[in-house]
């Protein structure tokens, strides 16, 4: 069981997962829970386990896994970004990185890692380092001051969000100023692709590199052309801030939202096709596993909550649990084939 500040990220194929949260080391008292980061296989078997930052730092940070599953990034116990080589278990710390762990992203070739500024500390910039040495390469300033809320106050998301395009290797960010930006790392200049009236909560790029999904803290979601920023679709909106990720084949978009319900959209139509219930607290992040057939939902009380998205697997599970064989009519209706003899 994981408590408070849970986050999760998966490799592109969904065969490895990195999770962060509080681990009950000695009992059920919260005082005895210790912050940990685990690297798991798709069956939730532990590959690596390391200490993480505690308290508010854990709540304001995230974990990230490289697309090939060989590297993981997280806020370490020294309150700096730590990088783990999953195969060897070797870790190293990026110095002076504590203000850029609100969002972490590896470049597709694992050469770079980017970090989004943490809102509680006033940073609105993006930092970029070499992923193998931690050498600082760029500080990207350009996101403006926070936009006001509809009641005149200032919004308070975790910080600037960042993601690399897996095809073009462009860096995309979303900020307190409501803008979604694409960065030229050589010139440290950005192009505004879209502007929300409120803070950007999440950005995600499709695996084929053609689409950007972005959401603001009110629940508005847009699908953008990754090259031009043109709004291609406005998916069915939700009740508040949601954190997005694409499935491996880019047909689905999943979002962890402000309540215990996790939504799954059909990318082609923008309609919500599944609402996944079961969590007690709000979902904080989502990750597709096993090529996209399983969705991992990380919420406040538990990271080990998996949902089967393949209806055939769900029906086969139901058949194994039901106390009688399915009829021929049921097999044809639900399995699209005749019953097995």
């Amino acid at each position: 069981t994981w408590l408070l500040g849970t986050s999760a990220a998966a490799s592109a194929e969904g065969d490895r997962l990195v999770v962060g949260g509080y681990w009950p080391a000695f009992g059920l008292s919260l005082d005895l829970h210790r912050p940990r980061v685990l690297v798991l296989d798709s069956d939730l078997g532990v590959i690596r386990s390391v200490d993480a930052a505690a308290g508010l730092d854990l709540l304001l940070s995230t974990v990230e896994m490289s697309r090939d599953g060989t590297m993981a990034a997280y806020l370490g116990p020294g309150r700096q970004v730590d990088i783990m080589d999953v195969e060897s278990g070797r870790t190293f710390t990026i110095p002076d990185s504590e203000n850029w762990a609100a969002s972490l992203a590896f470049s597709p070739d694992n050469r770079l890692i980017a970090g989004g500024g943490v809102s509680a500390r006033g940073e609105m910039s993006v930092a970029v380092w070499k992923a193998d040495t931690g050498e600082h390469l760029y500080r990207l300033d350009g996101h403006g001051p926070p936009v006001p809320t509809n009641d005149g106050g200032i919004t308070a998301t975790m910080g600037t969000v960042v993601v690399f395009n897996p095809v073009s290797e462009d860096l995309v960010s979303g900020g307190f100023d409501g803008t979604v930006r694409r960065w030229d790392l050589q010139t440290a200049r950005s192009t505004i692709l879209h502007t929300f009236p409120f803070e950007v909560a999440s950005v995600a790029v499709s695996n084929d590199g053609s689409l950007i999904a972005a959401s603001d803290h009110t629940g508005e979601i847009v699908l953008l052309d990754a090259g031009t920023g043109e709004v291609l679709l406005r998916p069915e909106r939700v009740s508040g801030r949601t954190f997005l990720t694409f499935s491996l084949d880019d047909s689905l978009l999943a979002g962890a939202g402000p309540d215990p319900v996790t939504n799954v959209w059909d990318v082609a139509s923008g309609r919500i096709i599944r609402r996944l219930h079961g969590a007690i607290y709000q979902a904080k992040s989502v990750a597709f596993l096993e090529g996209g057939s399983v969705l991992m939902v990380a919420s406040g009380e538990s990271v080990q909550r998996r949902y089967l998205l393949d209806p055939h697997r769900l029906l086969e599970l139901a058949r194994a649990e039901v106390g009688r064989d399915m009829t021929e009519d049921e097999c044809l209706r639900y399995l699209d084939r005749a019953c097995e003899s």
Side-chain angles (χ1 to χ4, degrees):
T1 301
W2 288 78
L3 300 175
L4 301 176
T6 310
S7 57
S11 61
E13 296 289 339
D15 56 346
R16 282 184 176 174
L17 179 75
V18 58
V19 298
Y22 282 97
W23 179 256
F26 305 106
L28 297 179
S29 169
L30 184 61
D31 291 338
L32 298 178
H33 287 59
R34 56 178 179 168
R36 301 286 288 171
V37 167
L38 303 184
V39 177
L40 311 169
D41 60 29
S42 59
D43 292 324
L44 302 187
V46 177
I47 300 173
R48 300 290 176 191
S49 174
V50 292
D51 289 328
L56 183 63
D57 290 296
L58 183 64
L59 297 176
L60 294 175
S61 65
T62 188
V63 295
E64 182 58 39
M65 174 152 279
S66 62
R67 290 182 60 81
D68 63 3
T70 63
M71 302 176 74
Y74 55 95
L75 196 67
R79 293 175 170 76
Q80 309 283 337
V81 175
D82 283 359
I83 306 292
M84 177 199 304
D85 180 287
V86 174
E87 302 302 330
S88 67
R90 182 182 70 89
T91 65
F92 72 90
T93 298
I94 298 178
D96 301 321
S97 56
E98 67 273 15
N99 287 355
W100 288 275
S103 176
L104 298 168
F106 286 99
S107 62
D109 60 4
N110 294 350
R111 187 174 60 87
L112 304 176
I113 183 167
V118 180
S119 61
R121 297 180 178 124
E123 289 291 350
M124 299 180 190
S125 61
V126 175
V128 181
W129 308 277
K130 285 187 177 181
D132 59 346
T133 65
E135 177 187 350
H136 177 80
L137 296 176
Y138 313 105
R139 172 169 169 156
L140 307 177
D141 294 298
H143 282 289
V147 291
T149 63
N150 53 9
D151 62 0
I154 297 297
T155 56
T157 61
M158 296 305 182
T160 308
V161 289
V162 293
V163 63
F164 279 95
N165 187 311
V167 176
S168 67
E169 301 193 14
D170 291 333
L171 181 64
V172 179
S173 67
F176 311 113
D177 58 350
T179 63
V180 178
R181 297 169 181 258
R182 183 179 63 240
W183 293 89
D184 182 333
L185 295 183
Q186 300 305 314
T187 64
R189 293 182 178 178
S190 64
T191 300
I192 296 177
L193 299 177
H194 185 74
T195 301
F196 288 102
F198 301 101
E199 278 187 15
V200 179
S202 177
V203 290
V205 181
S206 61
N207 291 283
D208 68 3
S210 66
L211 298 174
I212 294 173
S215 64
D216 73 3
H217 90 111
T218 71
E220 181 182 355
I221 301 169
V222 293
L223 282 178
L224 309 174
D225 182 290
T228 66
E230 177 188 357
V231 177
L232 303 176
L233 193 65
R234 294 182 183 273
E236 188 175 346
R237 69 177 299 146
V238 291
S239 60
R241 186 175 66 204
T242 189
F243 304 94
L244 304 169
T245 188
F246 282 95
S247 62
L248 180 60
D249 64 1
D250 295 327
S251 66
L252 302 176
L253 184 69
D259 53 40
V261 178
T262 298
N263 297 294
V264 180
W265 290 262
D266 172 63
V267 170
S269 67
R271 294 185 62 83
I272 294 175
I273 58 173
R274 287 187 177 90
R275 288 183 171 90
L276 305 176
H277 300 263
I280 299 173
Y281 304 115
Q282 71 175 38
K284 295 181 178 294
S285 58
V286 287
F288 283 97
L289 304 179
E290 299 181 27
S293 64
V294 175
L295 186 67
M296 170 71 74
V297 178
S299 62
E301 90 285 356
S302 174
V303 76
Q304 296 188 9
R305 190 178 297 279
R306 297 189 295 175
Y307 295 86
L308 295 178
L309 300 181
D310 184 343
H312 295 289
R313 289 181 63 182
L314 283 170
L315 287 167
E316 289 172 1
L317 179 63
R319 290 183 67 187
E321 297 295 327
V322 76
R324 62 170 176 82
D325 291 335
M326 295 178 72
T327 67
E328 285 294 334
D329 180 67
E330 288 170 334
C331 287
L332 291 173
R333 182 177 180 182
Y334 297 115
L335 301 181
D336 295 326
R337 57 176 170 80
C339 295
E340 298 175 357
S341 57

